[in-house]
Each structure stands twice: as structure tokens, then as C-alpha cells.
Amino acid sequence: MLKLLLSLTFLIASLGHAAEKPNIVVIMADDMGYGDVSCYGATALQTPHIDKLAAEGRRFTSGYCSASTCTPTRYSLLTGTYAFRQEGTGIAPPNSPAVIKPGSETLPSLLKKAGYATAVIGKWHLGLGGPEGPDWNGDLKPGPLEIGFDHCYLLPTTNDRVPQVYVEDHRVKNLDPSDPLWVGKKKPSEDHPTGITHRDTLKMDWSHGHNSTIHNGISRIGFYTGGHAARFRDEDLADEWVNRSNAWIEKHKDEPFFLFFSSHDLHVPRIPHERFQGKTRLGFRGDAIIQLDWCVGELMKTLDRLNLAENTLVIFCSDNGPVLDDGHADDAVEKIGRHRAGGPFRGGKYSVLEGGTRTPFITRWKGRIKPAVEDKAVVSTIDLVASVGALTETPLPQDAYLDSHDVMGALLGEDGGKGREHLIQQDNGRAGNYGYRKGDWKLQRHEKGTARNVVVEAKLANTKVPKHRLFNLAEDPGETRNLIEKHPDIAKKMIEELDAHIKAGRTRS
Ligand code: NG6
Ligand code: CA
């Protein structure tokens, strides 16, 4: 009898934690701030589809990305390791080689082990090719397919970095061999038109940087020639991501799949499709948010049509906080009015203040996650890999995913729903600035001696700050009252802990 009881208990316990393989769709916005969607308090625009995700799922008020620029956040999402631990993870230039080396353990490679079909569609910005960089006219590898994705359909860098072409698996799509694509740092010829020489012809002016090769009436970062048949129209990017994603989902509807839907919205140059232009009073920055919201709606429609909503975990997040003027003159600053892109937080893109990494973060799994719950647990995009590893019961190798914590309980609102105990925030690249959050306490460590404090102004300003500052986020979410002198013991402990986490080389036990 006792034996029977014991085995029954074991059966029940193991049933409770049996491996589960829901489809996983990660929707990552680009440069979207905490306050940029209506379910996080925006009133200047409405985002009904993102709001619906929140109404049907869990809305985190302490959801983070791990860095306040794109490449390091994406590196950490895929590798589960803080980007500051790895050389070469700052904002990747147009000809960057692959930042994540072939054969690395990654979120998609882990899910492949669990039997998933995997794809990334949209912005990549993690480099392509070997140490010499991308071979734009040949095979573009290594890239996503060498680190666990079965399929990719990419904007290779960013929409403001050359070249404006799609990369499908290993090739530039529609490339005509008689018009080869050349990409470089130097002006290719004296008469090559640029944002400086042909400024009066531009359909959107630049405000800083972004004055090299012109495509689609917009000058970009870097130079390129050729590949004319392959070039896209910025206006069509969102439609392309949606169409490609819907087709890929449809193709893989009968097996577990992982889709990384990596939107370019709302990164500069913000050029939404004509049908979204003028939809908000915030200018193209607001219209790009509406376009992204539409994308979310279209993807959810596909899940519904294929009866997959109850078998799909959807995670909505952003790659860094907001920025208004990031180099193209699109009136984001002039039209901002009372809209607060960072919500109650200060700082934004490039900053270790909360606005830099605290972003919208929503999970939805119909029929499984309790609807319309607000959750204060601290969760980060870097945690997805350890969390889905736990859910699918795929063991994590000890020497990989060094900073990814299993927060699946929080993401689903189950098992006591604990989030992270602590979180390191970084800006761009290595040895930069850090934020360290533990409970309600937040330490800022400004290694560079300056802080990016503000979003709402024409030029992003750095202000001088002492190396360390301490804040209580519960009382002061805007990080305005430095408590370091009032609480020297807490500060000392936080400084030591952050230092120890950096030096230890890992925070996953
Ligand atoms: C900066 C660019 C900015 C943006 C950023 C990367 C200039 C002056 N600024 O260097 O426009 O492209 O890099 O953004 O060129 S991210 O979201 O992809 O990290
Ligand atoms: Ca970004």
C-alpha cells in the first residue's frame, strides 16, 4: 500500500512537471519604451492588439531587456549570457562578422534539441560571416542557421545601416549577379551621392550621423553600391515580416515551433507603410508603433485561424528603451507633446537608468496563463532560454547560458511565480555603465562618469555623474534622489555584489 501511495505521489509530481512543448513566439520591438503602448499608460495613441495580449495574459511591470542597445540585448536573448562578458557585442556595424560563433549554445539550438522548428524573421543586427565579414554576393555564413535557426528572413543589420536588402537563409534575396552588392566604410567614388552632397533631395533629413549612401530618399550609416534589384522599400518591411511569418507558422503548424519575430519598428528611419502614415499625432514614431501593433494583431489572427492560440506561449518585449531623435529628423521630438515614451522612468536607449531597459513585457498562453494579471516579478529577456529549458525539460549545459535564470513560474504565473533576485543592466559594449537592481534597490555604476538621463530632447545628452548612485525604485521610480549617503551600508553591499557578479563570470548556479 505504502509502495502504491509512493509511486502515485511520484506519478502526480512528475505529471505536474512533465515536459511541455508549446509553440513559442517571441515578438521583439525595436526601441520601444515602457510608456509607448496603451496598456502601459500611453494615451496619445492606442495599441489594441498589444493591449489584447495583456488582457489575455500577464503584464509585467518589471520586465526588462538586458542592455539599452540592440546588439547586446539580442546577444543575451539568444545566448543567455550578459553581453558585457563578451568582446565584440556592442552595436554591430554594417560589415560585422557573426557575433555569435557557429556551434554556440543558443535559445534556438536548445529548442532544436527539444524538437522544435526554429526561425528568425526581421531584424538581425548580430553580424554575418566569418572574421572577414559578410560575403554579400556569396554565401552569408555563418549566421543564424549556424547557431540553431532552421530558417531566417532578415534585415541584416538595422534599417539605418546599409545595405537595405533582405537576407533569406544564406543569400541576399533577388540579387542580380550582374549588379553585385558592395558594402564599405569609405565613399566608393568622388561622385557617389550622399546625405551631405545631396541633402536637398532627401525625403527625410538626417539630424546626426546617417549622412552616407542614400536609398529610398533617406541617407544611411555606411556606403553601398549595386544590388539594386534586391533593395527593399522601408515602407514594406512590416508587411514582409508578417507575410513571411504567417507562411512559416502555417508550414510548421503540426510540430512545435519557435518563431523570433524581430520587428524593425520603431527604429530610425521610421518610415511606416503609407496606410499607417499620419495615424497618430506623434508623427512617424507614433505611426510606427501603430504599425507594430498591427503586426501583433496579424500574427495572433494566424494563431487563432490555425487553432494554435491555446498551444502557443507568446512573449512580447523590446530590445532597449525609447529614443526620440536617433539621427533622422522625423519630428519625434517636436510632436511628443505629453506622451512619455519611457513611462515613469528616466533615461532611455543608451542608458542604464530604468528607462533604458525596463520595457513592455507581456506573456500570453491562452487557456494556460490566467488573463489580465499584472505582475511585479523581475523578469528579463535573458531569462527566456533557461525558462524554456525548464518548461521543455531540456537540460542546460553547465558552461553555457551563464546568466539566464529560470523564471518560467513568473512568466506563467505558476509555482509561486518567482522572478529574478537580482538583475544587471548595461548600456552598450563592454566595460561600460551598469545598473544593478535587487528588490527595490537600484545601484547605478557609471564607469564612464556620465549618464544618459533624458529622452525628450533634441540631442541625447550626457550629464556628469558620480561613479555610484543608489535609488529606491519603489519610492522613486524616476531615479531622482540619490540615497548613497543616507544608506552607505546598502550601497557598499550592492557595489560589492555587482562587482562579484561581474568577476565571477556567471550568475547562473
Ligand atoms: C547609433 C546610431 C543610432 C542607432 C544606434 C543603434 C548614429 C549617430 N547613431 O550609433 O541611430 O542606429 O547606433 O541602434 O549613427 S540599435 O537599436 O540598433 O542599437
Ligand atoms: Ca534597438
Side-chain angles (χ1 to χ4, degrees):
M1 186 63 188
L2 185 67
K3 228 174 155 188
L4 182 72
L5 259 182
L6 275 178
S7 52
L8 260 181
T9 321
F10 177 76
L11 187 72
I12 291 166
S14 57
L15 271 181
H17 290 94
E20 293 184 82
K21 301 201 173 156
N23 308 310
I24 297 167
V25 176
V26 173
I27 304 173
M28 185 172 261
D30 197 346
D31 298 2
M32 173 177 267
Y34 188 92
D36 273 328
V37 287
S38 36
C39 58
Y40 278 85
T43 52
L45 48 67
Q46 292 300 312
T47 48
H49 300 290
I50 299 168
D51 293 8
K52 187 159 183 264
L53 275 187
E56 294 173 349
R58 234 171 153 72
R59 188 177 66 88
F60 289 86
T61 54
S62 283
Y64 291 84
C65 46
S66 51
S68 58
T69 55
C70 171
T71 304
T73 281
R74 288 157 199 267
Y75 172 86
S76 299
L77 165 78
L78 296 183
T79 64
T81 297
Y82 283 133
F84 61 76
R85 303 202 189 283
Q86 178 63 44
E87 201 81 58
T89 51
I91 298 171
N95 270 334
S96 167
V99 173
I100 305 174
K101 299 297 164 239
S104 299
E105 299 279 349
T106 63
L107 173 59
S109 77
L110 185 98
L111 285 170
K112 268 191 82 62
K113 282 185 207 161
Y116 279 67
T118 55
V120 50
I121 295 178
K123 171 171 171 171
W124 181 236
H125 208 192
L126 282 167
L128 292 168
E132 62 302 329
D135 173 7
W136 294 106
N137 301 290
D139 268 351
L140 283 164
K141 64 182 184 188
L145 304 198
E146 285 65 41
I147 57 165
F149 286 107
D150 300 324
H151 172 59
C152 67
Y153 190 82
L154 310 173
L155 164 66
T157 57
T158 58
N159 43 334
D160 61 348
R161 281 176 179 71
V162 297
Q164 277 59 53
V165 296
Y166 297 112
V167 170
E168 182 167 17
D169 297 330
H170 284 140
R171 288 281 173 165
V172 169
K173 190 187 152 201
N174 292 340
L175 186 65
D176 174 358
S178 67
D179 181 27
L181 181 59
W182 172 87
V183 176
K185 263 199 237 167
K186 289 211 181 95
K187 194 165 154 165
S189 62
E190 250 328 288
D191 59 354
H192 181 82
T194 69
I196 297 173
T197 60
H198 288 64
R199 194 164 185 172
D200 55 344
T201 67
L202 301 177
K203 76 173 174 194
M204 180 185 276
D205 199 5
W206 50 273
S207 55
H208 52 276
H210 303 94
N211 51 23
S212 303
T213 293
I214 300 170
H215 169 67
N216 194 16
I218 302 152
S219 50
R220 320 275 170 156
I221 300 174
F223 296 95
Y224 71 127
T225 58
H228 288 89
R231 298 188 186 193
F232 59 61
R233 239 171 49 103
D234 303 77
E235 290 84 345
D236 299 328
L237 285 172
D239 284 331
E240 196 73 8
W241 308 144
V242 163
N243 293 338
R244 290 282 168 162
S245 296
N246 285 345
W248 188 82
I249 291 175
E250 177 118 32
K251 198 165 153 199
H252 295 278
K253 64 180 177 0
D254 296 325
E255 56 187 322
F257 62 78
F258 163 53
L259 172 65
F260 175 22
F261 182 90
S262 181
S263 173
H264 70 296
D265 281 320
L266 30 158
H267 198 284
V268 297
R270 303 173 185 120
I271 311 286
H273 191 270
E274 286 82 352
R275 69 186 187 280
F276 296 111
Q277 296 184 8
K279 285 284 173 214
T280 68
R281 51 187 160 85
L282 298 178
F284 281 1
R285 186 175 184 281
D287 302 344
I289 297 176
I290 300 301
Q291 174 167 277
L292 173 63
D293 186 63
W294 171 83
C295 295
V296 172
E298 292 304 296
L299 294 176
M300 294 312 112
K301 249 195 239 167
T302 301
L303 294 181
D304 284 340
R305 179 170 60 79
L306 300 172
N307 270 323
L308 296 173
E310 301 210 339
N311 186 30
T312 304
L313 170 60
V314 179
I315 296 147
F316 180 84
C317 54
S318 177
D319 74 336
N320 52 251
V323 58
L324 299 186
D325 179 350
D326 205 17
H328 283 102
D330 60 7
D331 280 352
V333 176
E334 293 74 4
K335 294 191 168 163
I336 196 70
R338 295 162 69 89
H339 179 70
R340 285 293 163 267
F345 307 114
R346 262 193 330 140
K349 187 171 181 177
Y350 314 110
S351 166
V352 296
L353 275 69
E354 289 294 291
T357 53
R358 208 192 296 196
T359 40
F361 198 117
I362 301 166
T363 55
R364 188 203 77 167
W365 178 350
K366 265 195 179 170
R368 175 67 180 265
I369 295 179
K370 209 168 141 204
V373 175
E374 180 186 300
D375 193 331
K376 289 195 178 68
V378 175
V379 293
S380 166
T381 50
I382 200 171
D383 297 325
L384 294 185
V385 65
S387 305
V388 303
L391 186 73
T392 59
E393 291 197 340
T394 317
L396 307 185
Q398 187 55 20
D399 59 353
Y401 313 119
L402 303 176
D403 300 291
S404 188
H405 298 187
D406 171 14
V407 295
M408 192 46 90
L411 299 182
L412 301 180
E414 293 173 1
D415 296 338
K418 283 222 329 200
R420 300 188 136 246
E421 275 173 27
H422 55 75
L423 173 81
I424 303 178
Q425 301 150 292
Q426 71 164 101
D427 52 3
N428 184 40
R430 291 190 87 194
N433 296 329
Y434 297 97
Y436 179 54
R437 177 170 176 188
K438 194 169 185 192
D440 289 335
W441 291 103
K442 163 81 180 271
L443 177 80
Q444 295 173 5
R445 170 170 150 183
H446 279 108
E447 210 59 58
K448 297 171 182 162
T450 55
R452 281 245 158 112
N453 285 332
V454 281
V455 182
V456 186
E457 63 174 43
K459 293 263 183 284
L460 282 164
N462 280 321
T463 50
K464 271 199 163 15
V465 285
K467 181 165 172 184
H468 290 116
R469 297 196 293 184
L470 181 73
F471 300 89
N472 186 303
L473 295 176
E475 292 159 7
D476 179 24
E479 293 163 279
T480 57
R481 292 187 298 278
N482 182 5
L483 301 177
I484 199 154
E485 277 171 18
K486 207 169 159 200
H487 295 285
D489 297 347
I490 294 173
K492 183 166 176 283
K493 198 159 172 281
M494 299 271 291
I495 290 168
E496 286 169 1
E497 274 184 29
L498 171 60
D499 211 43
H501 290 319
I502 294 170
K503 291 205 174 107
R506 64 185 299 144
T507 55
R508 182 168 75 85
S509 47

